[in-house]
C-alpha cells in the first residue's frame, strides 16, 4: 500500500539484520550500567518530587521528614 504522497508505508520497509547493524552501533552493557544506575537517595528524591504533596512539604520541613511522612 502506498500513501497519497507516493511514499511507501513504514510497515512495508524491511531490511536485513546485518544491514541494520551496520549503521546502528550499540554501547557495551558494562558502560550502560553506570549510566543508568541511580543511588537509593536519588531514587527517593525522584519519588518524592513526583508526588506533589511530598514535594511541597519537603520545601517546608525538609526532604527527609517529608519523605518519611508519605513513604516511611
Amino acid at each position: 500500500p502506498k500513501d497519497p504522497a507516493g511514499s511507501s508505508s513504514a510497515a512495508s520497509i524491511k531490511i536485513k539484520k546485518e544491514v541494520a547493524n551496520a549503521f546502528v552501533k550499540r554501547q557495551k552493557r558494562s558502560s550502560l550500567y553506570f549510566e543508568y544506575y541511580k543511588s537509593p537517595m536519588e531514587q527517593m528524591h525522584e519519588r518524592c518530587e513526583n508526588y506533589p504533596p511530598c514535594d511541597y512539604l519537603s520545601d517546608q520541613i525538609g526532604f527527609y521528614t517529608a519523605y518519611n511522612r508519605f513513604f516511611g
Side-chain angles (χ1 to χ4, degrees):
K2 291 195 173 198
D3 293 336
S7 64
S8 60
S9 67
S12 67
I13 299 174
K14 295 183 181 180
I15 59 175
K16 292 183 179 181
K17 185 177 179 181
E18 296 79 19
V19 175
N21 287 338
F23 55 90
V24 177
K25 298 292 181 187
R26 295 183 183 197
Q27 294 179 349
K28 294 181 180 179
R29 289 182 187 257
S30 62
S31 65
L32 288 176
Y33 172 76
F34 294 108
E35 214 173 289
Y36 292 114
Y37 177 76
K38 294 181 182 177
S39 69
M41 185 58 82
E42 186 177 357
Q43 292 173 357
M44 290 169 61
H45 273 280
E46 287 183 357
R47 186 174 184 194
C48 188
E49 288 172 354
N50 290 333
Y51 186 60
C54 183
D55 189 34
Y56 176 77
L57 195 60
S58 69
D59 291 337
Q60 308 300 317
I61 63 173
F63 163 75
Y64 190 75
T65 307
Y67 184 87
N68 281 335
R69 182 169 294 176
F70 290 102
F71 305 108

